[in-house]
Amino acid sequence: MAPSEFFVVLQKGITGGFAPPTPSAVYTLTASSDNPAVVLVQAQTREEGTPSLSDPLAPKEVAVSAAEGKINELESILKQLPVEVPTGSQDIYGLDTSIFFGSGDLEWRNGGPQGCGGGVSEVQATDEQKEKFKRAVEIVESLV
């Protein structure tokens, strides 16, 4: 059973350096006890060559029943994956993408709030873990 309350934020474009990263997309999924049958999905994207993300469109509603299996799979995958140490030091999955997931059972985030600044992480993802992370990204994108 999917968590009754959760949020997911997926950001494409997390690697930076001297300057902070410029995201190309931010997807936010939210489920709350206020409306337990619906997952609200919001997407912002940035056109190539433009300096900032678009204004968010009106949220799309996805039935929890339609998303439940994918959310359960996402949470299960993230519970198995490491994050970089220190936070925001390196994109250990190599996809220039971060996921921030929160529920009553799990809070997980790769990439820092300001992205990844070009350091070296003490923790490195294995090829198998990179494939699992790629699947996690696919799950979020399929819900958007």
Side-chain angles (χ1 to χ4, degrees):
M1 189 163 129
S4 59
E5 295 188 35
F6 69 88
F7 68 87
V8 180
V9 178
L10 183 144
Q11 178 178 319
K12 292 183 175 193
I14 64 167
T15 53
F18 179 72
T22 304
S24 59
V26 175
Y27 306 134
T28 306
L29 291 75
T30 310
S32 74
S33 57
D34 294 341
N35 194 354
V38 172
V39 177
L40 294 177
V41 179
Q42 196 164 42
Q44 292 179 273
T45 57
R46 181 178 58 84
E47 293 291 325
E48 187 67 37
T50 60
S52 57
L53 293 167
S54 64
D55 290 333
L57 302 174
K60 174 177 99 173
E61 294 185 357
V62 176
V64 167
S65 58
E68 184 173 34
K70 290 180 179 182
I71 296 301
N72 287 338
E73 182 183 1
L74 176 63
E75 186 175 35
S76 174
I77 289 169
L78 296 177
K79 284 180 177 179
Q80 302 171 44
L81 296 179
V83 294
E84 73 280 355
V85 176
T87 300
S89 58
Q90 180 183 9
D91 177 13
I92 64 172
Y93 295 103
L95 294 179
D96 197 22
T97 300
S98 70
I99 295 177
F100 188 12
F101 181 93
S103 71
D105 296 330
L106 176 68
E107 186 169 310
W108 190 95
R109 178 182 208 147
N110 70 305
Q114 302 301 317
C116 292
V120 176
S121 173
E122 296 171 18
V123 175
Q124 295 295 318
T126 65
D127 289 343
E128 180 183 339
Q129 290 167 333
K130 288 177 182 182
E131 284 302 311
K132 287 181 180 181
F133 183 76
K134 186 176 179 180
R135 174 64 187 144
V137 171
E138 289 169 357
I139 291 168
V140 176
E141 289 176 334
S142 74
L143 291 168
V144 174

